[in-house]
Amino acid sequence: MGTTGTTPTAVTWSAFEAAEPELAATVRERFGQYTHHALATLRKDGSPRLSGIEADFRAGELWLGMMPNSLKARDVRRDPRFSLLANPGEGTSMGGGDVRVSGRAVEVTDPEKLDWYATEVGMPMPFHVFRVELTEVVRTYVDGEEIVLRTWSPGRGVRTLRRGNDDSPPREVAR
């Protein structure tokens, strides 16, 4: 895995989970705490759009379902890049950390796969279904007096950065 031009190679959820099971389990747990999350997409003019969405882990994949011709569906059909932030929860505790996944939303058009998904989730068609291909996973949390960022991207693996509450640059720590 590497890069193609300046665009990172994307991988499926199952490939990420196999490569980084500990971080994947944290991400799944974090998304599982709440039903609704925040999806960032790109509008036709390139400006960001933030929308509520449900994320679904099923059959080794991360799925996004969207109402027919919703603005967010039109956004990712035009430009599949997105970021998905797990609901941070109530108050300021952030439920154990902030989790974000980014990548490309690949629309599922195969009628059999769409029927399977509709049956699995118990929703009647029509709706758009997208399978997620990951280019980045980030978990941010507070540990004592430091903020910790664990980042992953294809071909690079997990990096852990820590920084204090001052203007010192972050420092990378060994796994």
Side-chain angles (χ1 to χ4, degrees):
M1 286 180 270
T3 59
T4 305
T6 59
T7 304
T9 302
V11 301
T12 63
W13 174 263
S14 58
F16 164 65
E17 195 169 39
E20 298 295 342
E22 180 188 332
L23 182 56
T26 299
V27 171
R28 280 184 80 132
E29 186 273 328
R30 196 60 199 84
F31 273 102
Q33 288 181 14
Y34 296 93
T35 302
H36 297 98
H37 307 288
L39 177 71
T41 59
L42 296 170
R43 300 172 193 253
K44 189 187 297 188
D45 68 3
S47 63
R49 182 188 318 275
L50 198 56
S51 306
I53 195 165
E54 296 178 22
D56 184 36
F57 294 91
R58 189 175 303 273
E61 300 287 353
L62 174 54
W63 306 89
L64 304 174
M66 302 177 199
M67 291 172 43
N69 294 312
S70 63
L71 293 175
K72 61 189 162 196
R74 291 189 344 220
D75 286 349
V76 295
R77 290 178 93 192
R78 182 179 48 258
D79 185 334
R81 294 175 296 169
F82 74 92
S83 280
L84 178 65
L85 177 69
N87 186 324
E90 299 176 22
T92 58
S93 70
M94 291 183 11
D98 192 53
V99 170
R100 175 179 47 84
V101 298
S102 299
R104 293 190 297 264
V106 178
E107 187 165 17
V108 176
T109 57
D110 175 55
E112 286 182 30
K113 192 65 139 174
L114 289 169
D115 287 343
W116 167 83
Y117 188 80
T119 301
E120 283 285 310
V121 299
M123 291 191 60
M125 292 301 286
F127 57 91
H128 298 286
V129 178
F130 299 88
R131 182 181 50 78
V132 166
E133 291 185 349
L134 299 169
T135 57
E136 182 182 53
V137 175
V138 178
R139 177 178 183 226
T140 306
Y141 61 97
V142 176
D143 181 23
E145 296 295 316
E146 293 184 311
I147 190 163
V148 180
L149 290 96
R150 296 197 68 214
T151 65
W152 171 91
S153 62
R156 193 188 69 199
V158 174
R159 294 177 59 210
T160 302
L161 303 169
R162 298 180 79 96
R163 66 168 295 169
N165 197 16
D166 57 22
D167 61 356
S168 298
R171 66 188 190 292
E172 188 165 352
V173 291
R175 278 172 72 130

